[in-house]
Each structure stands twice: as C-alpha cells, then as structure tokens.
C-alpha cells in the first residue's frame, strides 16, 4: 500500500458517502433518484426502484470497503468503484448522445441536467479508482508513516468533497443571465 492508494481511498470514500447521503439522507431523495433513472435505465416499472436500491447499496458497500484496514476489502472496494463509475459513465454518455434530458441526482438535489461534464467526471473517477486498485496491489507492503497516510487520506477526502460540489463551484463563476426587465 502507498500514499497514493490512501489518497484515492479518501477521495472515493468522500464521493460515494456524499452520493449515499444525497440519495437516501432526506425524505423523498431516494424516490427522486429512482425517478431520475427511468429515462436512463434499460428496465422499467418496479425494476427501476430495485436498480436504484442496488446503486445506493453498492455505493455504501464501497464506502465501507474503503475504510476497512484489510487489503482484500480495499481492493474489492476500489474495483467495485471502478466498475460502478464506468457504468455511470456509459449510461450518462448514452443519455447525452441520445439527447435525453435528465436531472443529475448523483449527489441528491441538482437542477443541472446530466451532460458531458458528468461523463468526464465519472470517467476520470473510474480511472483514478482503477489506478488506486493497481497501486493497492502493487505498492510496497508496510513501512508507511501513519501520519502521512492520514494526511494522504484526508487530502483525498477534501478532493472528493470538491468533486461533489464542483457544479456549484462552477456556477458561482458563470455570468448571471440577463433579467427580463432589462
């Protein structure tokens, strides 16, 4: 294990924990997330709700696997994150390519529709998760300074937090739309 792997674990834990809390942490959030899957999913009816539940469950399992101090669990969590993020990337890319407009419910509420930025974000996160899995398996065993490992994990968690609010940060710097009274 190495410091890069710790930072990836922190980043992905923050991203997936924000996703779980955003989708299940308030009244109506899970239903809104499930409803947002209807135009995206290859399934319909009650199966959409089951897919939504599976997504939230896997996201929660990834969080748990990434915080456990057991290398096989960490590797499994990183691989699960890689696959889940790759699936998100493909589904969103297909939606954007077909012109389907769906609100982003990645982290709960958002007025923004899914778009190319979401494809890029999830593709990059999938790549980072995969690289983290490789680093976890091939990195040196032991010998890490616990303080530096904690710093690496926290730095990753801060980066993950920034990923989850990136849309909001970008919107702060967009020019305001002209008002109708001008």
């Amino acid at each position: 294990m190495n410091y890069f792997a710790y930072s990836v674990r922190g980043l992905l834990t923050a991203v997936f924990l924000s996703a779980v809390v955003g989708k299940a942490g308030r009244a109506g959030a899970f239903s809104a997330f499930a409803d947002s899957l209807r135009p995206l999913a290859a399934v319909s009816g009650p199966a959409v709700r089951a897919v939504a539940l599976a997504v939230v469950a896997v996201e929660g399992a990834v969080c748990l696997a990434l915080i456990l101090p057991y290398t096989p669990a960490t590797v499994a969590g990183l691989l699960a994150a890689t696959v889940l993020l790759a699936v998100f990337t493909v589904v969103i890319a297909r939606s954007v390519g077909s012109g389907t407009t769906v609100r982003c419910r990645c982290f709960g509420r958002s007025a923004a529709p899914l778009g190319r930025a979401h494809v890029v974000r999830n593709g990059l996160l999938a790549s980072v998760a995969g690289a983290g899995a490789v680093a976890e398996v091939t990195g040196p065993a032991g010998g890490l300074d616990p303080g530096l490992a904690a710093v690496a994990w926290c730095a990753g968690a801060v980066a993950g937090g920034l990923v989850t609010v990136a849309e909001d940060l970008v919107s702060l710097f967009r020019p305001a739309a002209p008002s109708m009274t001008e």
Side-chain angles (χ1 to χ4, degrees), residues 37-158:
L37 294 181
R38 291 187 195 289
L40 300 174
V43 295
S44 60
V48 171
R49 197 160 178 82
V51 168
L53 184 59
V55 167
V56 174
V58 171
E59 289 174 337
V62 165
C63 289
L64 179 61
L66 294 179
I67 63 170
L68 291 174
Y70 182 59
T71 301
T74 300
V75 172
L78 289 166
L79 292 174
T82 303
V83 170
L84 191 58
L85 288 160
V87 168
F88 291 166
T89 302
V90 169
V91 168
I92 295 169
R94 190 180 74 194
S95 168
V96 170
S98 71
T100 304
T101 303
V102 178
R103 276 192 172 178
C104 173
R105 298 288 184 194
C106 306
F107 304 110
R109 279 187 236 190
S110 177
L114 291 172
R116 290 184 180 138
H118 297 93
V119 174
V120 171
R121 177 196 66 204
N122 288 334
L124 288 173
L125 286 172
S127 299
V128 168
V134 169
E136 186 74 27
V137 172
T138 62
L144 297 180
D145 179 299
L148 290 177
V151 168
W153 196 94
C154 290
V158 168

